[in-house]
DNA sequence: CCCTACCTGTCAGCGTTCCGTCAGCGGTAC
DNA sequence: GTACCGCTGACGGAACGCTGACAGGTAGGG
């Protein structure tokens, strides 16, 4: 999962980044509205945490612009003053959730995860596709109810595939969401990761569409 | 995916071409504004990377001309000076994204991919013409609802024919979109591809208009 | 502080599938 | 009738993706 953290206070930004990373997100951060505007425009994120008080360009304007441009990723808005009017304004602008400062980092992370789950069309922490079940709270994987020992990276791969279980996901997209803008990896890293997962999960879970990418074999996606 | 790289600095142009190719694009490049003007006018690209400082004709003028002429491919603008005013100017002229020099090649590629994704995002996943159905999510092909195993290249061929199902598509045009300006292939490659597809799909799907090209039948272009 | 176990990227090798090429044939237009 | 265009089946090189082995890095424990 890929998250964008927009926050100008360096200390909060650092904590935020750390907490989100600990929760399994690949985090990109920026500290002004202009950069946020362009990042949100041009890159794919599964979540945005957006502070409203920003240099150069106000957070609300950025959010409104994104929504006007048809970008529909979940956005969690932070604001210094927790007034009701600001909250309404944020929701109007297209925010999915709202958190007044100061807040406990644990709460932010919990809400962030809930937002991502919600955007996947599911309310609970348990997601299933076919034989495969992920527990977003415990970060565990199970096949037919039998727990499978998956590493953090493996879990994130499965989570992303599950989030997009209705389609084939290109390797480039997977690399981007697993590693962010770190392009140092050879393409083979992904293949190795998939191979290890398949060995643990057994056949019939992760499918390959040659020339296009990977997908979760749940229904009759095969051909 | 076909990309046009317009850049006059030979070294950057070479890097750019290589990076885009590595990312799966079929790349054509040119190093002056006039050629770019002409290429953008007369050929189809899924992405243009446009430097602003160009010999003969300024990049911004070229871009404005394209937009005025109704060309709507995504354009990523490069400029030597990363000032905010120039950025605004570029956006006004119709640029979809903007990258100040110097930049990391990885970032350029990431933005390029994001642009293409975004522009491809318009349009539903399921397309049908007659008996034939393409699922852009699963990258699958079906006839009368029966799945047909199509390879990546075959899928792209069908997708292009479907995109232009209202007319006959010339072999040269198909070759161009499947392979770019790589003329190393014999024309027969396309015929062999079509033959293999017809064997899989059965008769009555891909029609030939002798001397002109191919088309999808049951859209009554034939006769 | 070292040792260990584990995670994960890299590399080389392999099998499979893909697809461009070739040669020959048939149909169509004139 | 004939010349050209397009079709077909066979073949082989090449690309793609998979796998096992290995090593650098990291975290946890003693």
């Amino acid at each position: 999962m890929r998250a964008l953290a927009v926050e100008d206070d360096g200390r909060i930004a650092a904590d935020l980044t750390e907490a989100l990373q600990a929760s399994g997100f690949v985090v990109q951060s920026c500290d002004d509205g202009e950069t946020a505007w362009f990042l949100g425009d041009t890159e794919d994120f599964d979540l945005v945490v957006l502070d409203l008080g920003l240099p150069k360009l106000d957070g609300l304007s950025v959010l409104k612009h994104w929504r006007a441009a048809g970008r529909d990723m979940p956005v969690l808005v932070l604001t210094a003053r927790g007034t009701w009017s600001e909250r309404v304004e944020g929701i109007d602008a297209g925010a999915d959730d709202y958190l007044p400062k100061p807040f406990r980092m644990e709460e932010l992370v919990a809400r962030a995860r809930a937002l991502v789950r919600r955007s996947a069309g599911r309310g609970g922490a348990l997601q299933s596709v076919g034989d495969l079940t992920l527990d977003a709270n415990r970060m565990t994987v199970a096949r037919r109810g039998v727990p499978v020992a998956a590493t953090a990276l493996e879990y994130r791969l499965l989570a992303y595939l599950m989030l997009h279980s209705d389609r084939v996901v290109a390797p480039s997209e997977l690399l981007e969401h697993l590693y962010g803008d770190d392009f140092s990896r050879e393409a083979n890293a992904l293949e190795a990761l998939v191979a290890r997962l398949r060995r643990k999960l057994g056949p019939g879970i992760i499918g390959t569409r040659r020339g296009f990418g990977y997908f979760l074999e749940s229904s009759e996606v095969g051909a």
Side-chain angles (χ1 to χ4, degrees), chain A residues 79-156:
Chain A
T79 186
R81 305 176 305 275
T83 66
W84 179 244
S85 66
E86 256 203 0
R87 177 175 207 148
V88 168
E89 221 177 331
I91 299 291
D92 276 351
D96 298 273
D97 199 359
Y98 174 97
L99 202 56
K101 292 184 187 175
F103 53 85
R104 289 184 313 127
M105 208 47 85
E106 295 83 5
E107 180 171 9
L108 184 142
V109 168
R111 290 193 180 214
R113 287 220 303 258
L115 275 187
V116 173
R117 279 200 304 273
R118 190 136 57 96
S119 80
R122 303 172 182 277
L126 279 177
Q127 302 180 56
S128 293
V129 170
D131 287 351
L132 192 68
T133 303
L134 296 205
D135 184 328
N137 285 339
R138 304 186 145 280
M139 300 259 213
T140 53
V141 179
R143 171 170 192 182
R144 289 182 197 273
V146 180
V148 174
T151 68
L153 191 60
E154 288 165 354
Y155 175 86
R156 285 196 275 142

Side-chain angles (χ1 to χ4, degrees), chain A residues 144-192:
Chain A
R144 289 182 197 273
V146 180
V148 174
T151 68
L153 191 60
E154 288 165 354
Y155 175 86
R156 285 196 275 142
L157 173 66
L158 287 177
Y160 194 80
L161 284 180
M162 192 166 279
L163 188 60
H164 300 283
S165 57
D166 59 329
R167 64 181 177 90
V168 173
V169 182
S172 58
E173 184 181 344
L174 281 172
L175 287 170
E176 189 176 320
H177 280 260
L178 287 178
Y179 304 116
D181 282 342
D182 183 355
F183 292 91
S184 62
R185 273 99 179 160
E186 301 286 322
N188 199 350
L190 181 60
E191 292 165 16

